[in-house]
Amino acid sequence: MTVPHDNSTDPYANTPTAMVYDVFAETANELIGLCTARSDAASDPVERDTWWQRALTVRDVRRSVPAQDRQALLRHIAVWKADAEALKAAQ
């Protein structure tokens, strides 16, 4: 059953939290992939490690956020989507 949520703060208002979690996980995976690609492409060891640590941080956050914490999922989706878009735009 879908529980309606406040549209002003929840862009997935009519989406079950389980599906929001899927969006959260996929958004994290996209950002991890972008960071890993940057790490792999870096010629400077410090830059390489910086991007790798960023990928690991996103992975760790993805693992730590409870699947039922809809507000936390939404916050991370918004931040990670913006970060992924910025990385793609900078290529």
Side-chain angles (χ1 to χ4, degrees):
M1 177 169 110
T2 301
V3 178
H5 296 276
D6 179 10
N7 283 332
S8 65
T9 59
D10 186 348
Y12 303 96
N14 297 313
T15 305
T17 300
M19 301 241 354
V20 172
Y21 181 82
D22 289 342
V23 172
F24 163 85
E26 286 304 315
T27 304
N29 290 341
E30 177 183 23
L31 184 54
I32 289 167
L34 290 167
C35 292
T36 301
R38 291 279 176 113
S39 176
D40 291 346
S43 57
D44 176 56
V46 173
E47 182 182 0
R48 184 180 309 119
D49 188 57
T50 299
W51 286 111
W52 181 245
Q53 290 305 314
R54 176 71 198 277
L56 294 177
T57 298
V58 174
R59 180 206 63 188
D60 292 345
V61 171
R62 181 189 63 202
R63 290 177 176 174
S64 71
V65 174
Q68 330 62 337
D69 188 346
R70 188 179 184 94
Q71 291 308 311
L73 298 174
L74 293 171
R75 280 192 308 274
H76 287 292
I77 289 168
V79 169
W80 290 342
K81 279 189 174 196
D83 288 353
E85 291 304 316
L87 286 175
K88 288 188 271 186
Q91 290 180 345

